[in-house]
C-alpha cells in the first residue's frame, strides 16, 4: 500500500483533530475565533506543499481504489483554496455562534478531507465513503445555529434528502456489483461491450447518478437547495455551494468517463435533457426571489445546468470547460458570500432590499457584489463570461453528429438572458434603491479585505488571462479516457 499518496488527506485530518484538541486549552472566546486563522494558514501550507506532487504520473493506492492523477490534483487544490476562504469567512461569522466555534472549524476541515478523497476515488466503495464523510459533516454544519428555526429546518431537509439520495446510490452500487462482480472503475470499464445491453447495470449507473445529482443540485433532485442555502449559516452555505458541488462533479466525471463509458455514450440524450431542464428550472424560479441567499440557491441550480454542458459534450474540451467554469465559480460565489456575511451579520434579514445604499456604506463591498453578479450573469470581462463561452463552444462542436446540442445551446443562451434580469436586480438594489434604512460605514477586517481582493483578482484573472488556466484544465481533463461513439 502506498500511503505516501494520501499524505495531503492525512495532514488535513490531523489538522481537524488538532483543532478539536486545541479547543480544550483555549479558554477565551477571542482565542477560539482565531483558531480559524490558524487552520486557514495550515491549509495554505498544505496547498503549497501539494505543488510538490507530480500528477502526470498516474499512480494507484489501496488496490486501485485510490488514484493520483492531474484531475485529482486539480480538485484537491480547488478544495483547499475553497476551505481556506471559507475558514476566514467563518471567523468573521463566529460572533453569531453561541458555542462550538472550534467544532465548526473542525467540521469544515473534515468535510475538506472527504472532498479530497472524493477527488481520488477510483472505486464505488471509496466514492460512497468519501461522499458520506462530506454529507454527514454538512448535516451538522447546516443546522449548526440550533437557536434559529431556519437553520434547524435546513438541517432536517438536508438530512432527509441526503439520506434518500444515499439510499438510491447504495442500491445503484449494489446492482452494479451484482452484474459485474467488481467495484473498481477501471475493472468495470474493461468489461465494456459485455455490459452494453445489460439493463440492471444501466439502472445501477442511473441510480448512482441520482445520488450524485443531489450533490450537484441537478434536476430532478434539486428541490432541497433553496431552503438549505437560506437557512444554513452563511459559511456553511458557501462551502456547500462551492466545495460540495465540485465534489459531486468530479465523481460524475469519474463514474461516467472512467467507469461506464459505454453507458455514457448511450445516455447522451438524457444528459442533454437534464442539462436543459436544470438551466430552465433554476433561472425561472430565481426571478421572483427577494432573499439573496435563496436567489443564490436557485442560481446554484442553473449553474449546475451550465456545468452539465461540459459533461454532456462527451469530449475533453467539454470536461476542460467544466473545470475552468468551476474555477471561476469558486471566486465569484465566495466573493458574494463574503459580502453577505459582512453586510447582513447585524441584520435579522437577508432580503435584497437590505443592500440599499451599500455603495455609500462600503464602495469596496458594493463593487465586489456587483462584480459577482456580473460574472454569474456571464458578462465580459469576468470569469463567468469565458467559462460559459467555453462550455457553449464544447457543445456546439458536437452538434454535427447530434442536433440536440444546438437545442441545448439555445436553451443555455435563453437561460443567460433570464439570469441577467435577476442578477441585475441585486445591482439595482445596491446603487439605485432610495429606501436605505442605514448608511453607517461597514468596517472590514484585514483578513476579510485580503479574501475579497483575492476573489476579485481571481475573477479578473480568469476573465482576462484565460490561456494559462485553460492549459491547466486541459491537462487535468486528459486524465479521463475519451468516449468512443
Amino acid at each position: 500500500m502506498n500511503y505516501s499518496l494520501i499524505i495531503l488527506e492525512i495532514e488535513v485530518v490531523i489538522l481537524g483533530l488538532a483543532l478539536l484538541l486545541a479547543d480544550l486549552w483555549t479558554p477565551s472566546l477571542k482565542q477560539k475565533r482565531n483558531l480559524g486563522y490558524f487552520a486557514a494558514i495550515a491549509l495554505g501550507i498544505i496547498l503549497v506543499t501539494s505543488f510538490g506532487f507530480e500528477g502526470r504520473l498516474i499512480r494507484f493506492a489501496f488496490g486501485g481504489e485510490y488514484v493520483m492523477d492531474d484531475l485529482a490534483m486539480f480538485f484537491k487544490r480547488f478544495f483547499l483554496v475553497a476551505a481556506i476562504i471559507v475558514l476566514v469567512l467563518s471567523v468573521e461569522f463566529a460572533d453569531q455562534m453561541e458555542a462550538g466555534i472550534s467544532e465548526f472549524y473542525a467540521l469544515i476541515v473534515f468535510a475538506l478531507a472527504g472532498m479530497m478523497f472524493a477527488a481520488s476515488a477510483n472505486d464505488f466503495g471509496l466514492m460512497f465513503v468519501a461522499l458520506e464523510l462530506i454529507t454527514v459533516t454538512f448535516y451538522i454544519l447546516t443546522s449548526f445555529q440550533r437557536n434559529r428555526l431556519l437553520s434547524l429546518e435546513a438541517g432536517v431537509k438536508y438530512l432527509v434528502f441526503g439520506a434518500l439520495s444515499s439510499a438510491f446510490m447504495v442500491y445503484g452500487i449494489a446492482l452494479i456489483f451484482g452484474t459485474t462482480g467488481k467495484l473498481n472503475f477501471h475493472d468495470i470499464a474493461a468489461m465494456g461491450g459485455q455490459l452494453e445491453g445489460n439493463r440492471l447495470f444501466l439502472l445501477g449507473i442511473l441510480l448512482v447518478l441520482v445520488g450524485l445529482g443531489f450533490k450537484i443540485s441537478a434536476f430532478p433532485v434539486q428541490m432541497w437547495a433553496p431552503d438549505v442555502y437560506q437557512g444554513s449559516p452563511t459559511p456553511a452555505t458557501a462551502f456547500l455551494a462551492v466545495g460540495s458541488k465540485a465534489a459531486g462533479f468530479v465523481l460524475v466525471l469519474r463514474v461516467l468517463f472512467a467507469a461506464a463509458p459505454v453507458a455514457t455514450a448511450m445516455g447522451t440524450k438524457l444528459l442533454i435533457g437534464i442539462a436543459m431542464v436544470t438551466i430552465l428550472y433554476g433561472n425561472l424560479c430565481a426571478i421572483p426571489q427577494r432573499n439573496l441567499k435563496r436567489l443564490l440557491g436557485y442560481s446554484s441550480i442553473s449553474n449546475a445546468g451550465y456545468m452539465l454542458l461540459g459533461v454532456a459534450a462527451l469530449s475533453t474540451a467539454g470536461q476542460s470547460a467544466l473545470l475552468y467554469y468551476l474555477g471561476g465559480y469558486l471566486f465569484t460565489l465566495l466573493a458574494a458570500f463574503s459580502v453577505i456575511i459582512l453586510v447582513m451579520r447585524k441584520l435579522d434579514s437577508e432580503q435584497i432590499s437590505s443592500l440599499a445604499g451599500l455603495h455609500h456604506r462600503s464602495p469596496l463591498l458594493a463593487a465586489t457584489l456587483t462584480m459577482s453578479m456580473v460574472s454569474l450573469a456571464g458578462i465580459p470581462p469576468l470569469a463567468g463570461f469565458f467559462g460559459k463561452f467555453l462550455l457553449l463552444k464544447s457543445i456546439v462542436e458536437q452538434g454535427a453528429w447530434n442536433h440536440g446540442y444546438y437545442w441545448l445551446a439555445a436553451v443555455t443562451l435563453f437561460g443567460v438572458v433570464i439570469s441577467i434580469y435577476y442578477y441585475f436586480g441585486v445591482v439595482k438594489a445596491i446603487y439605485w434603491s432610495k429606501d436605505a434604512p442605514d448608511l453607517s460605514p461597514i468596517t472590514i477586517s484585514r483578513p476579510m479585505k485580503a479574501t475579497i481582493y483575492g476573489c476579485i483578482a481571481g475573477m479578473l484573472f480568469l476573465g482576462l488571462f484565460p490561456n494559462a488556466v485553460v492549459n491547466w484544465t486541459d491537462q487535468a481533463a486528459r486524465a479521463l479516457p475519451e468516449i468512443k461513439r
Side-chain angles (χ1 to χ4, degrees), residues 226-475:
D227 292 338
V228 175
Y229 274 48
Q230 181 182 357
S232 304
T234 305
T237 308
F239 206 30
L240 187 70
V242 175
S244 182
K245 186 183 287 289
F249 268 106
V250 67
L251 289 172
V252 167
L253 291 174
R254 293 273 188 206
V255 169
L256 289 182
F257 294 93
V262 173
T264 306
M266 294 170 63
T268 307
K269 291 180 181 176
L270 180 63
L271 288 171
I272 291 174
I274 291 173
M276 281 184 183
V277 179
T278 306
I279 290 170
L280 289 175
Y281 180 91
N283 281 309
L284 292 173
C285 291
I287 292 174
Q289 302 306 318
R290 296 295 174 264
N291 181 291
L292 186 53
K293 285 172 70 178
R294 197 170 180 82
L295 183 143
L296 290 176
Y298 282 109
S299 163
S300 163
I301 295 170
S302 64
N303 276 287
Y306 298 140
M307 294 177 206
L308 281 172
L309 265 63
V311 179
L314 306 186
S315 66
T316 302
Q319 295 150 11
S320 173
L322 165 59
L323 301 188
Y324 184 94
Y325 193 85
L326 273 170
Y329 192 67
L330 182 152
F331 294 114
T332 303
L333 213 60
L334 292 183
F337 279 111
S338 301
V339 177
I340 291 173
I341 285 178
L342 288 169
V343 175
M344 299 178 173
R345 62 181 172 183
K346 292 183 181 176
L347 303 173
D348 191 21
S349 167
E350 288 155 352
Q351 298 298 307
I352 294 172
S353 57
S354 304
L355 299 169
L358 180 60
H359 63 299
H360 291 301
R361 303 180 68 192
S362 172
L364 172 62
L365 295 182
T368 305
L369 190 55
T370 300
M371 289 178 69
S372 298
M373 294 299 115
V374 170
S375 182
L376 284 170
I379 294 173
L382 299 171
F385 165 74
F386 205 77
K388 285 189 175 68
F389 170 76
L390 289 176
L391 287 168
L392 276 169
K393 180 171 174 282
S394 70
I395 57 168
V396 170
E397 286 173 348
Q398 305 299 318
W401 69 274
N402 186 336
H403 294 335
Y405 286 111
Y406 293 137
W407 285 105
L408 179 55
V411 168
T412 303
L413 291 173
F414 180 61
V416 169
V417 172
I418 296 173
S419 70
I420 289 173
Y421 171 77
Y422 62 79
Y423 287 134
F424 274 74
V426 178
V427 179
K428 180 185 173 187
I430 294 172
Y431 290 100
W432 289 284
S433 178
K434 297 178 180 176
D435 303 321
D438 182 7
L439 291 176
S440 58
I442 298 173
T443 55
I444 311 173
S445 65
R446 288 181 181 176
M448 280 299 286
K449 274 187 182 174
T451 301
I452 289 169
Y453 283 129
C455 290
I456 291 173
M459 283 189 278
L460 286 171
F461 182 81
L462 269 76
L464 295 173
F465 309 103
N467 287 342
V469 183
V470 169
N471 290 338
W472 190 22
T473 56
D474 278 347
Q475 183 181 316

Side-chain angles (χ1 to χ4, degrees), residues 31-51:
Q31 289 174 324
K32 287 180 191 292
R33 287 185 60 185
N34 289 337
L35 284 175
Y37 292 137
F38 163 75
I41 293 169
L43 290 182
I45 295 170
I46 294 172
L47 175 64
V48 172
T49 60
S50 75
F51 287 92

Side-chain angles (χ1 to χ4, degrees), residues 102-354:
S102 305
E103 288 87 341
F104 191 83
Y105 299 150
L107 285 167
I108 289 171
V109 173
F110 288 133
L112 168 66
M115 293 171 191
M116 293 174 74
F117 275 115
S120 286
N122 193 45
D123 178 283
F124 281 107
L126 180 59
M127 181 192 83
F128 182 75
V129 172
L131 273 180
E132 287 306 293
L133 178 55
I134 299 168
T135 309
V136 170
T137 51
F138 273 109
Y139 290 154
I140 307 169
L141 285 171
T142 51
S143 55
F144 206 82
Q145 288 179 297
R146 296 185 293 276
N147 56 332
R148 286 183 67 235
L149 184 61
L150 280 177
S151 182
L152 289 174
E153 182 184 342
V156 170
K157 285 184 176 175
Y158 194 71
L159 173 66
V160 171
F161 284 106
L164 193 62
S165 71
S166 296
F168 275 111
M169 186 174 292
V170 168
Y171 193 52
I173 292 173
L175 288 177
I176 293 167
F177 183 73
T179 51
T180 64
K182 300 181 185 304
L183 289 175
N184 185 279
F185 292 168
H186 289 167
D187 291 345
I188 294 170
M191 298 176 74
Q194 303 174 41
L195 302 170
E196 192 168 344
N198 191 318
R199 293 182 179 178
L200 280 180
F201 174 75
L202 295 177
L203 178 61
I205 292 293
L206 184 64
L207 292 176
V208 167
L209 291 179
V210 170
L212 293 177
F214 166 80
K215 302 303 296 181
I216 64 175
S217 57
F219 187 87
V221 282
Q222 84 298 335
M223 62 286 286
W224 60 273
D227 292 338
V228 175
Y229 274 48
Q230 181 182 357
S232 304
T234 305
T237 308
F239 206 30
L240 187 70
V242 175
S244 182
K245 186 183 287 289
F249 268 106
V250 67
L251 289 172
V252 167
L253 291 174
R254 293 273 188 206
V255 169
L256 289 182
F257 294 93
V262 173
T264 306
M266 294 170 63
T268 307
K269 291 180 181 176
L270 180 63
L271 288 171
I272 291 174
I274 291 173
M276 281 184 183
V277 179
T278 306
I279 290 170
L280 289 175
Y281 180 91
N283 281 309
L284 292 173
C285 291
I287 292 174
Q289 302 306 318
R290 296 295 174 264
N291 181 291
L292 186 53
K293 285 172 70 178
R294 197 170 180 82
L295 183 143
L296 290 176
Y298 282 109
S299 163
S300 163
I301 295 170
S302 64
N303 276 287
Y306 298 140
M307 294 177 206
L308 281 172
L309 265 63
V311 179
L314 306 186
S315 66
T316 302
Q319 295 150 11
S320 173
L322 165 59
L323 301 188
Y324 184 94
Y325 193 85
L326 273 170
Y329 192 67
L330 182 152
F331 294 114
T332 303
L333 213 60
L334 292 183
F337 279 111
S338 301
V339 177
I340 291 173
I341 285 178
L342 288 169
V343 175
M344 299 178 173
R345 62 181 172 183
K346 292 183 181 176
L347 303 173
D348 191 21
S349 167
E350 288 155 352
Q351 298 298 307
I352 294 172
S353 57
S354 304

